[in-house]
Amino acid sequence: MRVLLVEDDEPVAESLRRGLLRYGFEVEWVTTGAAGLAVATPYDLVLLDLGLPDTDGLDVCRALRRRGDVPIIVISARSDETDRVVGLEIGADDYVSKPFGVREVIARIRAVMRRVRPAEQPTGPQRYGARLTVDRKAARVRLDGVEVALTPKEYDLLAFLTEEPGALMSREQIMEAVWDANWFGPTKTLDVHVAALRRKLAGAVAVEAVRGVGFRLNVLTDEPDGAGDRAAPEAPVGPVGAHPT
């Protein structure tokens, strides 16, 4: 998914850009309203700051909306209710006030995309390999058709890791997404929950530890010739959506 980021505050933009890239988004970053309106390559969503150096972001929002129906999320230090109302009335799909966490922005992006493109969202459980299904709408997991009893955090961790099977997720990224954006302290609880998932879902998925970095989840396939379980190269049916408690 490609995001156009229109933000002139470099530290804010760099932090947001890095966070979006970690979550698998492609990002094109520009620093002025004029540059944002001049972008010719297609994008799926706009993150738009209101306090731009060359023009009011509300005017940019209005111009983008006249061009089409690409979702727009306003990000701004303006917390006044009037600005929120005006932004939404002229075509913004959501409004995020600074300061904000990357986790919140990701959640807002996913919520907006679910609203504006419901046909692209999964309507039922997603299958991972031949044995595991995750029903994000019902927050239920089944192994070989039998529901697996997971704690809320075990479910949240599995839902997050199955968003991108095979992708390496850092400890910090996992803690931010599954526990809390402002988590401080040891991450031993993550190891405990990973061990629980390995035990409960043995043979269906493997949660691989990468020393000094984090974890990746691999979907396993049963080889009929007795060769054992191997990581499945194909992606699961349907995308996404982690739900932190």
Side-chain angles (χ1 to χ4, degrees), residues 81-97:
E81 182 179 359
T82 301
D83 286 315
R84 289 174 176 268
V85 171
V86 171
L88 295 171
E89 285 186 344
I90 65 175
D93 295 274
D94 204 349
Y95 194 113
V96 183
S97 296

Side-chain angles (χ1 to χ4, degrees), residues 4-7 28-41 43 46-48 52 54-55 60 63-64 67:
L4 172 61
L5 173 60
V6 186
E7 169 63 73
E28 178 160 355
W29 170 32
V30 297
T31 58
T32 66
L37 293 173
V39 172
T41 50
Y43 43 83
V46 181
L47 293 176
L48 173 64
L52 298 172
D54 61 334
T55 186
V60 178
L64 288 171
R67 293 182 177 183

Side-chain angles (χ1 to χ4, degrees), residues 79-124:
S79 57
D80 185 83
E81 182 179 359
T82 301
D83 286 315
R84 289 174 176 268
V85 171
V86 171
L88 295 171
E89 285 186 344
I90 65 175
D93 295 274
D94 204 349
Y95 194 113
V96 183
S97 296
K98 297 178 182 178
F100 52 77
V102 172
R103 180 183 175 189
E104 178 186 1
V105 175
I106 298 295
R108 297 293 186 98
I109 290 174
R110 289 175 174 162
V112 165
M113 297 308 293
R114 283 195 295 269
R115 292 199 304 268
V116 301
R117 299 181 183 176
E120 297 181 9
Q121 303 305 316
T123 57

